[in-house]
Structure formats: C-alpha cells, structure tokens
Amino acid sequence: MKIIIKDFNIHYEKFGNGEKNILILPGWGNTRPTFKWMIESLKNNYNVYILDYPGFGESPFPNRDLTIYDYANMIKTFIDVLQIKKPIIIAHSFGSRLALILEGKLGLSLEKLIIIDGAGIKRRKKLKVILKQYLYKFLKKLRWILPKRKRKKYLEKLINIFASSDYKSIDDNMKKTFSNIVNEDLTYLLEKIKTETLLIWGEKDYDTPIKDGILMNKKIKDSGLIIIKKGTHFTYLDVPSYINSIILEFIK
C-alpha cells in the first residue's frame, strides 16, 4: 500500500485485525522483510503496521537532504492520517530515534514502547576515531594537488578506506542525510519518555553497545531492561521465538 505525505511516497503494509495497534519502526535500511516472524506472532491479536523509510525498499528518496526530525514528522503524519490510535511502538536501532522524538518531542500518546538495540545516544569519540577523522580530512585536502581527472577516483578510495559500512552502502544522494542523523544526540529526550518501556539488548551488540541500553534504562523512568546473552545488534533475529514471547507478555 502507498501513502503520499508531502514529498514522501511511502510504502507500508498492514496485517491483522485487532482492537489495539502496533507500529513497527525498523532499523536503518530496508529491514521490513526481516520482521516477518514477529508480525506472524502479533497479527492474530493486533493491527500491525510497518513501512519502508524514504530511500529504502519501495519508498523513493525525495530530492532534498533530510534530518531525523523530517523522518519523525513524516511518521507522525502517517499515524495521524491512518488514524492509528495510541499505538504500541516496537522500534529497532534507527527506529528508536524516531520513537524518542515521537513521544519526547512531538507528544505522541503511546500505549507501550519497546526498544530493541536502540540508537540515539551519541557516544564520546575515542582518540583513535578522532585521529582517523583528522587523517581523512587531511588526505581529502590533498586531492587538489592531483590532476583533475584523478580527483574523483582518489576520493572514492578514501571513502572506501575510512567510511563505515552503513555510509558506504547508501546512495550518494543520501550520504548527507545519513550524516545528519548519526550526529544528532537524542539523550536529552530520554527523561521525557513517560510511557511504560521495555528495552531489549544484545549482550554482544557492538553497533549500539549495551551501555546505551543501561543509560536508557536509567533515564527512562518507567522502563525495564532485558539483556539477551550472546545477542547481537539483531536480537529479534538471533532468537526470534524468545523475543516474540517477551514482547507478547509485555503488551498483553
């Protein structure tokens, strides 16, 4: 199904026919299909909504750079237009950034909130990372001493060496948007979350480490933290049946 919100042409799916609504906010990228096992366990008793973000899956990217607040406002309008009343939000990774803004800044009323290996906390950079960034900037400036025909290839090599896998995997027209998002620290919103919140974290999550989950648990007043032993950044795929049972117990 499609819905047009301003200059966003959003593809979404709806499953089930229950009294309560669940909105799944996936991580960065086209991760909608990876939630099929979770949707199967929820759709018999709930209305389940899930969408492709602009730039991923079947939702095209608009002709402009975006911030995390652009994404969040789009989701808020999506909820309003489809009349998704007081949803239960299940947010993974990037999706938790949106969930924090939706309640903490935009005032969306939620039934419950589930954050799985959530993003949104900007960590202090290690000295190694800082030095790497300075080296990249220095080497980038050196392109001007090269012949014009070699500059583009030189920059491509630098990006291949220094950029993260997420950055390298996205289209060129989304790179500024990606930088806008990862550089936004949403820690200030944690204390504004009043909804009962369940935090699920992988013990071996190296993308959003367990200390982020511990901080969220400390800052979000009505929250509980479950740590999945040996779990990765994708705990809902590591042990899907177990995660599904935890979620069902929490929301019923």
Side-chain angles (χ1 to χ4, degrees), residues 100-132:
L100 294 176
I101 295 172
L102 285 168
E103 182 179 357
K105 191 173 182 68
L106 301 182
L108 180 67
S109 180
L110 304 180
E111 177 78 17
K112 289 188 178 182
L113 174 59
I114 300 163
I115 292 176
I116 304 173
D117 301 294
I121 296 172
K122 188 177 180 181
R123 294 177 295 279
R124 188 174 298 173
K125 293 176 182 177
K126 295 180 180 179
L127 179 60
K128 182 180 177 181
V129 175
I130 294 173
L131 292 175
K132 185 178 178 182

Side-chain angles (χ1 to χ4, degrees), residues 57-75:
E58 298 182 45
S59 298
F61 193 71
N63 189 28
R64 61 188 174 99
D65 296 328
L66 303 176
T67 68
I68 187 63
Y69 301 101
D70 291 320
Y71 279 90
N73 280 298
M74 181 272 294
I75 298 291

Side-chain angles (χ1 to χ4, degrees), residues 138-199:
F138 172 73
L139 293 174
K140 187 178 178 182
K141 289 179 181 179
L142 293 182
R143 74 187 186 277
W144 300 115
I145 68 175
L146 296 173
K148 199 170 184 180
R149 68 180 186 279
K150 293 185 177 181
R151 290 174 190 170
K152 183 177 179 181
K153 195 168 185 179
Y154 175 74
L155 282 177
E156 289 173 352
K157 285 184 177 180
L158 286 183
I159 290 172
N160 191 50
I161 294 170
F162 288 95
S164 69
S165 57
D166 278 345
Y167 185 84
K168 287 186 285 189
S169 67
I170 58 178
D171 293 337
D172 288 343
N173 63 334
M174 292 184 65
K175 289 190 181 336
K176 175 60 176 170
T177 293
F178 179 79
S179 296
N180 291 340
I181 289 168
V182 298
N183 287 317
E184 189 74 32
D185 188 4
L186 301 177
T187 307
Y188 76 100
L189 292 174
L190 296 176
E191 293 180 341
K192 298 181 180 181
I193 304 302
K194 307 303 180 185
T195 300
E196 185 180 3
T197 302
L198 173 64
L199 305 165

Side-chain angles (χ1 to χ4, degrees), residues 2-147:
K2 296 282 187 181
I3 182 172
I4 296 175
I5 300 171
K6 294 184 179 178
D7 57 344
F8 299 117
N9 190 353
I10 302 300
H11 176 85
Y12 73 96
E13 292 180 302
K14 177 184 178 293
F15 304 87
N17 188 26
E19 292 184 7
K20 292 187 176 182
N21 299 308
I22 293 176
L23 174 61
I24 298 176
L25 298 177
W28 181 258
N30 182 27
T31 58
R32 176 170 49 87
T34 69
F35 284 89
K36 62 181 180 180
W37 295 285
M38 186 181 291
I39 292 168
E40 284 296 318
S41 73
L42 296 170
K43 69 180 185 180
N44 290 333
N45 297 300
Y46 300 91
N47 299 313
V48 183
Y49 297 84
I50 189 167
L51 71 160
D52 287 333
Y53 302 124
F56 298 104
E58 298 182 45
S59 298
F61 193 71
N63 189 28
R64 61 188 174 99
D65 296 328
L66 303 176
T67 68
I68 187 63
Y69 301 101
D70 291 320
Y71 279 90
N73 280 298
M74 181 272 294
I75 298 291
K76 177 67 164 57
T77 304
F78 174 84
I79 291 169
D80 292 341
V81 171
L82 293 182
Q83 298 183 333
I84 305 174
K85 304 295 184 182
K86 204 170 184 181
I88 298 165
I89 285 186
I90 301 174
H92 172 247
S93 191
F94 168 76
S96 76
R97 296 178 186 269
L98 300 174
L100 294 176
I101 295 172
L102 285 168
E103 182 179 357
K105 191 173 182 68
L106 301 182
L108 180 67
S109 180
L110 304 180
E111 177 78 17
K112 289 188 178 182
L113 174 59
I114 300 163
I115 292 176
I116 304 173
D117 301 294
I121 296 172
K122 188 177 180 181
R123 294 177 295 279
R124 188 174 298 173
K125 293 176 182 177
K126 295 180 180 179
L127 179 60
K128 182 180 177 181
V129 175
I130 294 173
L131 292 175
K132 185 178 178 182
Q133 289 178 339
Y134 274 117
L135 179 59
Y136 170 72
K137 289 177 181 178
F138 172 73
L139 293 174
K140 187 178 178 182
K141 289 179 181 179
L142 293 182
R143 74 187 186 277
W144 300 115
I145 68 175
L146 296 173

